[in-house]
Each structure stands twice: as structure tokens, then as C-alpha cells.
């Protein structure tokens, strides 16, 4: 699922300065960055695929600090360009940042601010969003990052509207994506924006990935608490909610348990988790329903009751909005892939707080994380019958 802000057309209309070229893409690399995320924009924008109908970009690989740059597996890279080369780029991509707890080099932040002021499009993939936030480029804007790091991004930069549900967010001249494979989604979106659906489709075929993916990060979220919440008094309330999802309670109940007003609770909860408490609660109930559909023989009506939904209609509506399928269709797709004997009903722990078990995607769908390198990520399967084109949401 993508998020295209209502402000995007106005931002996209900004003119580049005279020395910048729209077709030039600069990729900013740092020491300690993961090689997989770093390779995504290099592969998308750095290989000539004009024979397949993909317009050519001019790629500049730039070091964001003094080299050599050490990356995954102890490899050392030498970037052919330095920060000065960014001054020619119409698009600047930060594919990843080595640590969400350490500040990026000030020289690199200055180069990004200057590029943005001169009309360049700035892109942060995965933890690259932390670099954009440190430069002040996400202030007052919607953004996303890997769901695991979204609470930290929201807490450290409270002026950023972090949405951990999105695969990527396009706010016109500043774009961010979720983890690893979502970087491919965003790069394809950029090609689609620049050159149309046909060019993006041709590139997707070359990369052997879907041109667009439906859904967001919800189906990958686990039920554990973000690391930074552990020492906060609110953690006890969150843990209680996870243990009692089978009961019917609302956000007012959680606020009362925290001895806070609803407004104060909403603000504190969002600062810690990056999500509004009502949306978080609904997501947790849907995740619980997902687990029961996979591991039990309860009817959909029984699943609704055991997940705290007031009616099966409520479950079906929220389930479809988050996972793009009805509960019944999701269960059928899951069972078509998993042998009958693999399911282990666990009715006695229906309300317990547990991480979702990893599983393979249904055979009817192409693997969502198919990429030029052979890697595999386990995740909750995307249901069969999900929409092929993601919906769009306006900015908060």
C-alpha cells in the first residue's frame, strides 16, 4: 500500500536549479550500511535497460563520509564520487543508515538540505528515513520506515507523522519506504512517476517482482513490544491489552488503566509506538484473528468473539481493510498451502500474547520479496484474492 500525499503535486512542481538534471540519480552510501538495501537503487537506476523499454537514468554513487566504506560481511567499497557530486542530481537516494542510535555526518546532512532547497527529490529507503529526519526534511510530513524502527523514529522526531503501516510514502519531493523489499516498491514507483506504467512494468518484469504490491506492513508486524517501550510505565498497559484481546474493551479502558485522560493517553501512546491507540488495538485484534484462522477450527463468528470484536461484521470489515481479504478466504488460502496436519488448534491460549508464527505465502501468489539476490524473509502470508493495485490515502 502506498501513501501519496495530497501535497505531492505541489511539491513535485518545484523546479530544479540550473545545475541539476532530472535524469541524474545520486545514491548516498555510508560505512556500516547493509549491502542489500544499498544495492537496490544501484540496480534500479544504474543498469541500462533501454532494450526492455526502460528509460535510462544516470547514476552517481557518492560516499557520505570518508572511505573505504565497510558493509555487510566485512566487504569494503570505494564510491567513485563524493558529496560534491550530489549537486548535479535531480534525485538523491539514501538507501540505509548504519545505526538508528547514531547521528549521521553533518556534512552529509548539509548536502541533503542543499539538494532539497534546490528542488531535488530526496528518497530514504528503510532506515535512510532517519537520515532525512536528522536533516529536518521530514518535519511536518508523513513518512514511514521499517515497522520495527517506526516507534523509535516517532519518538526521536515527534514532528514527523510516522505511519508504520505503509510500504512507502510519497510526499512529492520527499519519499520514504519500509524495509528491504519495500525499497524496490518505492524505486518502481519513482520510475512509474517519471516514465509511466509501461516503463515500470517492464522494469518489474526484469527484476521478477510485482509492479505493485497490495497491502501494507500490517501483515509483517509481530506482537512484541518495541524495545524502547520496555522501561516506560505505559508498557504495563500495553502488555495487559495484549493479554486480554479476547475481551471487549476500548481505548478509554486503557487510558483509565494508565490513570490518564484520553487525550493524554493518545499523545503518550503515539509518541511511544508511532501509532494511534485505536488503530494499534484494531491491528492487534486482526493479528490475533489471523493466528486463530491459521491454527484453529473456530468459525469466523467464534474467531470474532475470541478477538474482542463486537460482531463478525466488524471483524470482516477490519480484516479486509488490513489484509485485503475476507477471513474465510484468508483461511482457505492458508490451508491450501499448509498441510492439514500442520495446524495445531490451541483454544486454551486464544487470548494469550504471542508473536505470530512465520509461514510461507500462498502458492497462487508470486513471492513478494523476489529480488535479484536470492534471499528470503519469512512473514505472514498475503491472502489470495488481494487487490493487485494498492489504494491511496490522503495525508493526515
Amino acid at each position: 500500500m502506498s501513501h501519496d500525499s495530497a501535497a505531492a503535486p505541489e511539491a513535485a512542481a518545484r523546479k530544479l536549479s540550473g545545475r541539476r538534471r532530472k535524469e541524474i540519480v545520486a545514491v548516498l552510501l555510508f560505512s556500516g550500511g547493509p549491502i542489500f538495501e544499498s544495492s537496490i537503487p544501484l540496480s534500479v537506476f544504474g543498469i541500462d535497460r533501454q532494450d526492455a523499454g526502460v528509460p535510462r537514468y544516470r547514476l552517481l554513487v557518492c560516499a557520505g563520509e570518508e572511505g573505504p566504506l565497510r558493509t555487510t560481511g566485512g566487504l569494503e567499497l570505494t564510491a567513485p564520487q563524493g558529496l560534491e557530486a550530489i549537486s548535479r542530481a535531480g534525485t538523491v537516494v539514501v538507501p540505509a543508515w548504519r545505526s538508528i542510535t547514531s547521528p549521521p555526518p553533518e556534512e552529509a546532512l548539509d548536502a541533503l538540505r542543499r539538494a532539497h532547497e534546490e528542488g531535488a527529490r530526496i528518497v530514504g529507503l528503510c532506515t535512510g528515513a532517519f537520515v532525512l529526519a536528522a536533516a529536518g526534511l521530514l518535519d511536518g510530513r508523513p513518512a514511514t520506515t521499517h515497522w520495527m524502527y517506526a516507534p523509535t523514529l516517532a519518538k526521536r522526531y515527534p514532528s514527523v507523522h510516522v505511519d508504520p503501516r505503509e510500504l512507502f510514502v510519497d510526499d512529492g519531493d520527499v519519499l520514504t519506504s519500509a524495509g528491504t523489499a519495500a525499497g524496490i516498491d518505492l524505486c518502481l514507483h519513482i520510475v512509474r512517476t517519471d516514465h509511466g506504467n509501461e516503463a515500470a512494468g517492464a522494469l518489474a518484469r526484469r527484476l521478477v517482482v510485482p509492479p505493485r504490491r497490495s497491502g501494507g506492513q500490517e501483515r509483517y508486524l509481530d506482537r512484541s513490544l518495541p524495545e524502547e517501550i520496555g522501561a516506560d510505565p505505559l508498557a504495563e498497559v500495553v502488555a495487559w491489552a495484549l493479554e486480554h484481546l479476547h475481551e471487549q474493551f476500548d481505548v478509554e479502558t486503557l487510558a483509565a488503566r494508565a490513570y490518564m485522560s484520553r487525550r493524554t493517553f493518545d499523545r503518550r501512546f503515539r509518541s511511544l509506538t508511532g501509532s494511534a491507540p485505536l488503530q494499534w488495538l484494531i491491528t492487534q485484534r486482526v493479528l490475533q484473528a489471523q493466528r486463530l484462522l491459521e491454527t484453529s477450527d473456530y468459525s469466523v463468528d467464534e474467531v470474532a468473539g475470541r478477538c474482542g470484536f463486537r460482531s463478525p461484521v466488524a471483524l470482516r470489515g477490519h480484516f479486509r481493510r488490513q489484509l485485503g481479504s475476507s477471513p474465510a478466504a484468508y483461511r482457505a488460502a492458508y490451508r491450501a498451502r499448509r498441510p492439514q496436519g500442520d495446524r495445531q488448534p490451541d483454544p486454551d491460549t486464544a487470548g494469550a500474547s504471542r508473536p505470530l508464527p512465520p509461514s510461507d505465502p500462498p502458492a497462487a501468489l508470486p513471492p513478494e520479496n523476489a529480488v535479484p539476490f536470492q534471499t528470503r524473509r519469512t512473514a505472514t502470508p498475503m491472502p489470495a484474492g488481494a487487490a493487485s493495485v494498492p489504494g491511496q490515502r490522503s495525508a493526515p
Side-chain angles (χ1 to χ4, degrees):
M1 181 179 294
S2 66
H3 176 158
D4 296 320
S5 167
E10 179 181 352
R14 296 175 57 199
K15 291 185 178 180
L16 285 172
S17 68
R19 60 180 176 173
R20 295 184 180 274
R21 295 291 178 267
K22 183 179 179 181
E23 71 277 7
I24 297 180
V25 177
V27 177
L28 191 58
L29 300 181
F30 297 96
S31 187
I35 193 170
F36 186 83
E37 283 81 352
S38 301
S39 70
I40 290 172
L42 302 184
S43 179
V44 170
F45 302 112
I47 298 178
D48 186 355
R49 298 186 177 91
Q50 294 180 89
D51 61 320
V54 182
R56 185 175 184 179
Y57 289 88
R58 291 177 55 196
L59 180 71
L60 301 176
V61 183
C62 307
E65 56 193 342
E66 292 295 324
L69 309 178
R70 291 174 176 81
T71 185
T72 311
L75 297 177
E76 289 191 352
L77 305 177
T78 302
Q81 308 285 343
L83 285 172
E84 70 284 349
I86 291 178
S87 63
R88 309 202 303 270
T91 299
V92 181
V93 182
V94 183
W97 174 237
R98 59 174 165 262
S99 171
I100 63 173
T101 60
S102 62
E106 192 59 38
E107 295 82 359
L109 299 181
D110 286 340
L112 288 172
R113 295 185 193 107
R114 189 160 50 250
H116 182 254
E117 290 169 359
E118 294 178 356
R121 177 172 52 190
I122 312 297
V123 181
L125 308 182
C126 194
T127 53
F130 283 81
V131 180
L132 273 58
L137 301 182
L138 297 181
D139 290 351
R141 290 177 177 267
T144 193
T145 187
H146 192 293
W147 59 264
M148 228 167 54
Y149 307 125
T152 304
L153 183 64
K155 184 176 181 180
R156 187 167 300 158
Y157 302 101
S159 61
V160 181
H161 306 306
V162 181
D163 190 343
R165 297 167 298 174
E166 300 289 358
L167 289 176
F168 64 83
V169 171
D170 179 349
D171 198 42
D173 55 349
V174 178
L175 303 88
T176 51
S177 80
T180 308
I184 302 176
D185 295 317
L186 180 51
C187 289
L188 284 172
H189 171 74
I190 291 172
V191 174
R192 186 180 302 110
T193 301
D194 291 347
H195 301 292
N197 290 327
E198 189 172 340
L203 178 56
R205 287 191 293 274
R206 276 295 184 94
L207 298 178
V208 198
V209 297
R212 299 183 191 233
R213 285 197 293 163
S214 62
Q217 294 194 78
E218 293 100 330
R219 59 186 177 274
Y220 302 113
L221 297 172
D222 68 25
R223 302 255 310 270
S224 58
L225 299 179
E227 185 176 346
E228 294 192 5
I229 295 182
D232 192 277
L234 207 60
E236 184 177 342
V237 176
V238 174
W240 180 90
L242 290 173
E243 292 289 343
H244 293 79
L245 288 174
H246 57 289
E247 301 177 10
Q248 289 187 9
F249 60 86
D250 53 21
V251 177
E252 281 75 12
T253 303
L254 299 181
R257 292 188 67 88
Y259 302 101
M260 297 178 185
S261 68
R262 172 64 188 271
R263 175 178 291 185
T264 301
F265 181 79
D266 281 7
R267 184 174 65 251
R268 291 278 296 121
F269 192 95
R270 186 183 288 274
S271 71
L272 285 171
T273 68
S275 175
L278 179 58
Q279 182 58 50
W280 178 86
L281 182 58
I282 292 172
T283 298
Q284 298 308 315
R285 294 194 188 284
V286 169
L287 289 172
Q288 177 75 341
Q290 196 177 5
R291 188 180 80 86
L292 290 179
L293 290 168
E294 293 172 357
T295 62
S296 78
D297 291 316
Y298 294 129
S299 68
V300 173
D301 289 12
E302 289 175 314
V303 168
R306 289 176 176 270
C307 296
F309 287 103
R310 297 187 184 278
S311 70
V313 173
L315 166 62
R316 291 185 179 96
H318 290 301
F319 200 96
R320 184 175 291 278
R321 275 190 289 274
Q322 290 200 20
L323 296 174
S325 171
S326 69
Y330 176 86
R331 170 177 272 171
Y334 181 85
R335 292 186 175 181
R337 177 63 175 169
R338 306 283 291 188
Q340 184 79 8
D342 285 358
R343 293 181 288 108
Q344 297 179 358
D346 191 14
D348 294 333
T349 58
S353 172
R354 294 184 177 181
L356 287 171
S359 54
D360 293 327
L365 292 173
E368 292 185 341
N369 56 344
V371 289
F373 304 95
Q374 286 201 336
T375 65
R376 181 165 182 152
R377 176 180 61 186
T378 56
T380 304
M382 185 172 77
S388 60
V389 180
Q392 298 180 349
R393 296 206 302 270
S394 59

